[in-house]
Amino acid sequence: MSVSVAVAGASGYAGGELLRLLSAHPEFEIVTVTAHQNAGQPLSAVHPHLVSLRHLVLQETTAAVLSGADVVFLALPHGASGAITAHLPDDVLVIDCGADHRLTDPDAWAAFYGGEYHGAWTYGMPELLLAGGGTQRANLVGATRIAVPGCNVTAITLGLVPGIAAGVIAPDDLVSVLAVGPSGAGRSLRTDLLAAELLGSASAYQVGGIHRHTPEIVQNLAAAGGANPTISFTPVLVPMARGILATSTAKLVGDPKAVREVWESAYADEPFMHLLPAGVFPKSADTIGANTVQIGLAVDERAGRVVVVSALDNLVKGTAGAAIQSANLALGLPETLGLPLDGVAP
C-alpha cells in the first residue's frame, strides 16, 4: 500500500513536523508540498533539516495543486483551511491541523474566532473517552474529513477526561495553567516571540477565559460526560522551543483512594498515554519528538482537589503526530504506524 500525500502550509513549524514524521512512515509518500510566501522555493530553503525531502519544491497552496494526492494535510492558520477544503474532492482524505473544523457550535466559533463557520469534522483525538462508552477512536475509522485538536486542548483534555468520565472529579471549577513553548504560535515574525523577549522570562497570555481553545476544551469535557463543564486555563509562554506542561486541578468527588485506579484503567491499553508511578511527575523535555503524553497524578486531600500534570510535544502529539495517528485509523492502518514512542534527550 502506497498512499500519496500533500502537505499545505509546509513551510511552517507544524508543516515541517508533519513532513519529518511522514518521511519515515512506511505507507506514505510525500508528493506535494505547498506554501504561501515561500512558494517557488526548494523545501530545503525553509527546512534544511529534512534532508530526505530536499528534492521537493514548495508550490502555491490551491485546491487544484492539492487534489492530486490521496491524503491532504492542512497546516494553515485558522480561517485559511475552510476556503480550500470546500473545493477538495470527496474521495480525498483531508486532515486539518487548524481550528476551522473543530467546533460543533457555530456560536462558539463566532465568539472566539469570528468569520465564516465551515462546520465540524470528525474530531481527531482517538483517546477521548465518550460518555456513552468507548473512545473517539471508533469514529475515526473510515473518516474522510478530520479536525486535529489544538495542542493546549490535548494536554488539558487527556489529563482530565478519565476523572470526568468516571465521576471522581467535578466538571465545574476546573483550573489549568500551562507552560508552553513559542513554536505553538507558528513561525510568523512577532516581537513577543523574539529570543530577546523570551529568554530569561515567562509571561502569561490570553488571560481571563479568552483563549480560543477554551470552547474546544469545554466541548471535549462535555463529550466525556461532564455536565455544564467550566474551566479557567492560563497559558504561560516560557523559553523552550517546543513542549507543553499543563498542571490541571479539579474538585475531588468521593474516595481519594479511587482516583489513581481511574486513570490507570482509562489509559492501560493506550499506546501513547503513559501514567507515571505515584509521586512521579513528567517534564516537558521527556516527550520532545515523541507522540506521547506523560501524566503525573496526585490528590491534595487538604484542598479537596485532584492534581494532574500532563506533558507533551506541542508539534508532535499536539499537532502532527495526532494528525498522522488519525490518518492511520481512517485508512485502516495500524494506529501507531510511523509514530515515535521515544523522545529525544538531552
Side-chain angles (χ1 to χ4, degrees):
M1 180 179 182
S2 181
V3 180
S4 61
V5 171
V7 176
S11 60
Y13 289 139
E17 196 68 356
L18 274 166
L19 293 172
R20 182 181 74 86
L21 296 174
L22 288 166
S23 68
H25 196 290
E27 301 293 345
F28 290 157
E29 179 186 2
I30 303 165
V31 295
T32 303
V33 290
T34 77
H36 178 50
Q37 293 180 335
N38 298 105
Q41 296 183 18
L43 182 66
S44 59
V46 293
H47 293 306
H49 64 294
L50 299 177
V51 177
S52 66
L53 303 177
R54 62 186 180 276
H55 60 285
L56 294 172
V57 176
L58 293 163
Q59 302 180 57
E60 186 181 356
T61 302
T62 66
V65 169
L66 297 168
S67 294
D70 299 318
V71 181
V72 174
F73 291 92
L74 302 172
L76 303 171
H78 80 268
S81 299
I84 292 174
T85 57
H87 300 287
L88 292 174
D90 292 339
D91 61 348
V92 173
L93 171 58
V94 186
I95 301 176
D96 187 11
C97 294
D100 289 22
H101 301 284
R102 294 172 184 164
L103 298 182
T104 59
D105 182 358
D107 291 336
W109 174 266
F112 283 85
Y113 289 92
E116 184 179 356
Y117 176 67
H118 294 282
W121 286 359
T122 304
Y123 195 60
M125 186 183 285
E127 301 92 348
L128 176 62
L129 295 166
L130 301 178
T135 65
Q136 179 65 9
R137 177 175 287 106
N139 296 322
L140 286 162
V141 177
T144 59
R145 296 291 188 271
I146 296 172
V148 178
C151 54
N152 296 316
V153 177
T154 300
I156 295 172
T157 297
L158 294 179
L160 291 174
V161 289
I164 295 289
V168 297
I169 59 175
D172 64 321
D173 191 26
L174 299 167
V175 178
S176 187
V177 178
L178 296 80
V180 302
S183 59
R187 206 174 188 177
S188 59
L189 182 62
R190 282 172 32 186
T191 300
D192 62 326
L193 301 181
L194 297 174
E197 304 288 335
L198 279 172
L199 298 180
S201 181
S203 57
Y205 64 98
Q206 297 288 299
V207 180
I210 62 173
H211 195 287
R212 287 170 168 165
H213 286 172
T214 301
E216 188 183 345
I217 297 167
V218 170
Q219 179 176 290
N220 290 346
L221 299 176
N228 301 313
T230 60
I231 184 164
S232 174
F233 94 90
T234 304
V236 178
L237 199 63
V238 297
M240 58 186 186
R242 59 164 85 190
I244 294 176
L245 186 74
T247 301
S248 304
T249 73
K251 290 186 295 186
L252 173 66
V253 177
D255 183 3
K257 294 182 175 61
V259 169
R260 185 169 184 85
E261 183 180 345
V262 165
W263 268 261
E264 287 177 343
S265 176
Y267 292 144
D269 298 320
E270 290 291 351
F272 297 117
M273 300 300 302
H274 301 288
L275 179 64
L276 301 181
V280 179
F281 298 91
K283 303 187 298 292
S284 61
D286 295 338
T287 62
I288 297 304
N291 192 54
T292 56
V293 180
Q294 292 196 13
I295 292 177
L297 190 64
V299 178
D300 185 343
E301 293 192 47
R302 291 186 180 87
R305 298 185 75 85
V306 175
V307 182
V308 186
V309 181
S310 49
L312 56 78
D313 185 328
N314 58 292
L315 292 178
V316 187
K317 183 56 175 167
T319 308
I324 295 170
Q325 186 180 347
S326 296
N328 284 340
L329 286 165
L331 295 170
L333 297 170
E335 183 175 346
T336 59
L337 196 63
L339 292 171
L341 281 171
D342 298 328
V344 176

